[in-house]
Amino acid sequence: MQFTRRKKVIGNSQTELYGHCLQFYGQPPVENISLSEFETFAVERLKLLKTVENLGVSYVKTSEQYKKKMETEISSLNFPYRTEVDERKPQTGPTEYEKRRKDHISHFILRLAYCQTEDLRRWFIQQEMDLFRYRFTDLPPKFKSDFLHRNNLHYDTISSEEKENLMDKLVHSTFTVSGTTVVEQDFYKVPFQDALDLVRTRKVFLKGGYAYIPHQDIVTIVLNDFRTRLSKALALTARSLPAVQSDERLQPLLSHLSHAYVGQDYSIQKNVGKISLEQIDPLSAKSFPLCMRQLHKALRENHHLRHGGRMQYGLFLKGIGLTLDQALQFWRAEFVKGKVDADKFDKAYAYSVRHMFGKEGKRTDYTPYSCMKVILSNPPSQGDYHGCPFRHSDPELLKQKLQSYKISPAGINQILELVKGMHYQLACQKYFELTHGIEDSGFSLNHPNQYFVESQRLLTGGKEVKREADPLRGGQGVPANKAPDAPLDKPANPAQTAAEITEDLDSLFQDD
């Protein structure tokens, strides 16, 4: 997207442009940015909003744990937080102006990506509202008042004399307010139609068509205003979307952002050759996520997996460290136990295994499936074992499976509640915590290979997986430092995503 360059403002332009650490995003950015910066800003805000979603389900939004984790995430991603622009202070990392600029531009980029459907708009509005609520609530009173004035929210504070006259009524009709707190804090006189949520729940004093709102509850009024503005803005953005989508540089990126995986790239194998075939069975029981544990069990029992299962499980095994030679041995050894002889395997299945490792076709180094890819694409049908068990399994069957893995009844109920709320990744994260005997995993789960890495880190105390000899190789393992050959061809379009690349691989092998 080409933003027009803003004319330079005389004086302290940075302070005038982003004078407050919080905004309603009323004015779109009007400057030129590179495609690289466009993508970086979009991905980092998406990381922030996904964290907001995860924390909102995992913790009470007013709890100290929630606030601490939110502050950590905002700071680590370099978004603005409770600070003023002060160019006299020594800067480490991005300046406050740069953080506010990033906050502003990244919001508008995700508007383009999330205005396309009603479900996307609803998700985006909810996460932006939760983020706004946290940031506004955590502002000092001075910053809150400044924000209200900057955004033409002219809510007057009542005088000390009026407050004293209304003392008893304010105490008895206002939620969580005592005589002492009435004296210490400001009360805002707001037209009652602007405070319907508070009026509906009988939390404020009404008189003469005005609601008297304590300072800590003004966030409800501001949040309603923010939601109204953002909802209207997304509708307007959706109308102008065809013009943006005609830009071939942006269309692939915007289409992918709404279901993008923004975590670590697990196609980069750090443990190549350090996992032996003999270790796969014990590792599946203690360090595989439920989706991969299910696939491994089905493969061992049936000596076959259909296409979807081979793709999902094969790329996962590649991501945890299996070499191409090991992968060929693993699949061949299992398939020949069933109805496939060695010759048929070499003719019908070996090519697809080599293709996963970038040795055939376009020679692309394919990426293991993320949780979003597993959840959203190619749902399993009868006879399939791929997909996400929390998303695609019948709740009763899921309950039986969890019981067979010795999950406690209370734990099963927690998982099923998350599944009912369609929080499938959080259900998997709860499964991780229950199977590893911990209260808080300390990470947001977004990838099956991330599950494996975090499990091994926990079980081994951060030590690398110790390789054991492969019985099929007579103890002759591939050297740990021998990485697979680099892919020969890179995608011509830098905006082409890993998800698109794996879809291309899917289309090559559609046998059962």
Side-chain angles (χ1 to χ4, degrees), residues 265-321:
D265 180 5
Y266 288 98
S267 64
I268 303 171
Q269 296 170 277
K270 297 181 178 179
N271 288 318
V272 175
K274 294 185 180 180
I275 301 292
S276 73
L277 300 184
E278 192 178 45
Q279 290 174 287
I280 294 178
D281 281 338
L283 285 173
S284 71
K286 61 185 180 182
S287 288
F288 281 18
L290 191 57
C291 57
M292 301 304 170
R293 190 173 182 178
Q294 172 177 280
L295 284 165
H296 182 76
K297 183 173 183 288
L299 177 61
R300 289 302 197 206
E301 291 177 351
N302 304 323
H303 312 300
H304 188 271
L305 284 177
R306 298 175 71 179
H307 169 70
R310 296 198 304 273
M311 287 293 301
Q312 183 175 323
Y313 191 40
L315 289 172
F316 170 79
L317 291 175
K318 173 192 172 188
I320 70 172

Side-chain angles (χ1 to χ4, degrees), residues 28 66 147 181 200 260 267 317 347 371 414 427 446 467 494 501:
Y66 177 83
F147 177 83
T181 54
R200 185 183 302 113
S267 64
L317 291 175
K347 292 177 181 178
C371 290
Q414 288 179 295
N446 293 297
R467 192 185 191 287
I501 294 172

Side-chain angles (χ1 to χ4, degrees), residues 20-22 45 74 78-83 96 98-104 135:
H20 199 282
C21 60
L22 189 62
R45 191 173 195 93
I74 290 173
N78 292 318
F79 282 93
Y81 176 71
R82 294 186 60 181
T83 51
E96 183 62 22
E98 290 169 339
K99 293 179 182 180
R100 295 181 186 186
R101 173 178 173 270
K102 173 182 174 180
D103 176 51
H104 183 218
R135 293 170 69 185

Side-chain angles (χ1 to χ4, degrees), residues 20 136-137 139-148 215-216:
H20 199 282
F136 183 85
T137 303
L139 288 175
K142 171 189 170 185
F143 280 48
K144 288 181 181 177
S145 298
D146 185 34
F147 177 83
L148 295 177
H215 197 92
Q216 75 265 19

Side-chain angles (χ1 to χ4, degrees), residues 417-432:
E417 279 299 312
L418 290 168
V419 169
K420 185 178 179 181
M422 296 188 294
H423 302 296
Y424 308 117
Q425 290 164 245
L426 291 174
C428 189
Q429 191 161 328
K430 176 57 66 175
Y431 171 78
F432 179 98

